[in-house]
Amino acid sequence: MVDRFPMELVAPDIAPHVGNTGIPYVTTLRAAVSGPHIVLAALIHGNEICGAIALDHLLRHGIAPARGALTFAFCNVEAYRRFDPERPNASRYLDEDMNRLWDRATLDGPRRSTELRRARALRPVFDNADYLLDLHSMQYGGAPLILAGIVDKSVELARRIRAPGVIVRDHGHAAGPRLRDYDAFADPASPRAALLVECGQHWEESAADVATVTAYRFLAACGALTPEASRKALEITAPPQRVIEVTEAITVASDDFRFAAPYRGLEVIPRAGTEIARDGGRAVVTPYDDCVLVMPSQQLARGHTAVRLGRYAP
Ligand SMILES: [Zn+2]
């Protein structure tokens, strides 16, 4: 049973953003003054349209870097072209999940797919990024999340943008590395850093607002805007961010995975040993008190991440 959500967003026409880089749907703007190269990425998942709305907004408003370079990348354009509001889950990808391909072995390897072809074409963009913001959305709404991976530099960058309010430190998925964990972004010795932001439920209006505001804040925090514009972008009245340390991802191991309750994410389960799901015959239980459920999935196929477990950092 897959929950249905109202379609509040309209997928923008990205034809005007075919770009100037030779890589389709990638636009790079350069300032006269040197500075970091910032990449804003949308549509790694073809049906997560809030990121496309944010990039379309910035491009139409002529947002350009005051220092360095700024690249706008619409990633899985082929899947996005198939986006149908009547069947919005069908265009997440065509052949495979584009956010599980990001290691050298896979990108340099012999395997072929629609998504791998595009990932290989986009690779130079990410190889040349000092800072990457990868905009996504979630199956369920609730608080937006910054997925910072496990390296400290990403958590520090997440704190510099000051919102959204929940920072998740996690290892990603058994099925393959995410773009945010690609190469130097996951290397503690490199200053280059990436954040993935889950802006809200895929189709809710607030997801597009969060994506757009977060993109401005990211540009400000990474030094692409003038000091005055940065100060304005980073003004905030929200409470301080909290960090969830993810300790494990529960990967579906059977053809019959069921949650014990209709979890939506960020539930705190008070007692260790509480059964939260059954995977085949096996009980999935919380490993410690006050366990936080992060991004429970509706797509409970074998090998996919069902939910991540973590706890709030003190
Ligand atoms: Zn996504």
Side-chain angles (χ1 to χ4, degrees):
M1 179 63 192
V2 173
D3 295 354
R4 295 281 302 190
F5 292 91
M7 181 63 61
E8 297 174 358
L9 297 178
V10 176
D13 176 15
I14 62 169
H17 310 314
V18 71
N20 61 356
T21 59
I23 305 168
Y25 297 95
V26 177
T27 300
T28 297
L29 307 175
R30 291 180 200 282
V33 185
S34 70
H37 180 203
I38 298 168
V39 176
L40 304 178
L43 298 176
I44 279 284
H45 293 131
N47 63 345
E48 298 183 358
I49 60 182
C50 65
I53 291 170
L55 268 55
D56 176 62
H57 173 98
L58 268 61
L59 283 159
R60 281 190 295 102
H61 286 80
I63 300 300
R67 298 167 52 219
L70 170 58
T71 292
F72 301 85
F74 297 87
C75 296
N76 199 341
V77 173
E78 288 197 51
Y80 180 63
R81 282 206 182 99
R82 312 269 183 100
F83 181 78
D84 175 358
E86 297 299 315
R87 295 176 61 240
N89 286 313
S91 54
R92 179 175 169 84
Y93 54 78
L94 297 181
D95 296 336
E96 62 178 325
D97 191 326
M98 198 187 264
N99 215 22
R100 306 288 182 270
L101 305 177
W102 295 94
D103 57 32
R104 290 176 192 215
T106 305
L107 293 167
D108 290 334
R111 214 158 58 68
R112 290 160 184 263
S113 71
T114 302
E115 278 73 21
L116 262 170
R117 187 171 61 233
R118 180 63 171 160
R120 286 168 180 145
L122 290 168
R123 189 177 178 183
V125 174
F126 304 121
D127 281 335
N128 288 305
D130 294 305
Y131 298 108
L132 165 70
L133 174 65
D134 187 14
L135 293 165
H136 287 250
S137 54
M138 302 183 274
Q139 296 173 35
Y140 296 111
L145 309 174
I146 304 176
L147 304 191
I150 52 161
V151 282
D152 289 340
K153 63 182 179 180
S154 303
V155 177
E156 285 157 18
L157 180 56
R159 291 202 182 282
R160 295 217 304 271
I161 66 172
R162 305 181 67 195
V166 181
I167 301 168
V168 177
R169 292 187 80 146
D170 72 324
H171 284 85
H173 305 274
R178 302 168 295 191
L179 174 59
R180 66 125 293 113
D181 302 312
Y182 171 56
D183 204 51
F185 300 137
D187 178 359
S190 165
R192 298 168 53 211
L195 297 177
L196 187 167
V197 174
E198 300 281 3
C199 298
Q201 205 283 328
H202 296 319
W203 332 122
E204 71 183 344
E205 199 172 353
S206 67
D209 298 338
V210 169
T212 305
V213 169
T214 301
Y216 277 114
R217 303 178 74 82
F218 192 83
L219 295 180
C222 295
L225 305 183
T226 62
E228 192 187 325
S230 293
R231 204 172 45 241
K232 205 170 155 206
L234 292 171
E235 274 173 7
I236 194 163
T237 53
Q241 291 163 310
R242 299 185 74 189
V243 174
I244 299 172
E245 305 272 0
V246 168
T247 56
E248 59 204 279
I250 304 296
T251 302
V252 178
S254 79
D255 294 320
D256 183 23
F257 187 105
R258 292 162 206 241
F259 283 110
Y263 300 121
R264 295 294 179 263
L266 300 183
E267 289 88 354
V268 179
I269 309 295
R271 290 273 161 261
T274 303
E275 183 172 317
I276 55 164
R278 288 229 149 224
D279 191 3
R282 187 177 62 92
V284 178
V285 300
T286 52
Y288 36 76
D289 288 352
D290 298 322
C291 178
V292 188
L293 308 186
V294 178
M295 292 181 72
S297 178
Q298 299 188 77
Q299 320 284 333
L300 296 168
R302 198 189 282 247
H304 289 247
T305 303
V307 66
R308 284 161 269 199
L309 307 180
R311 49 191 149 195
Y312 282 105

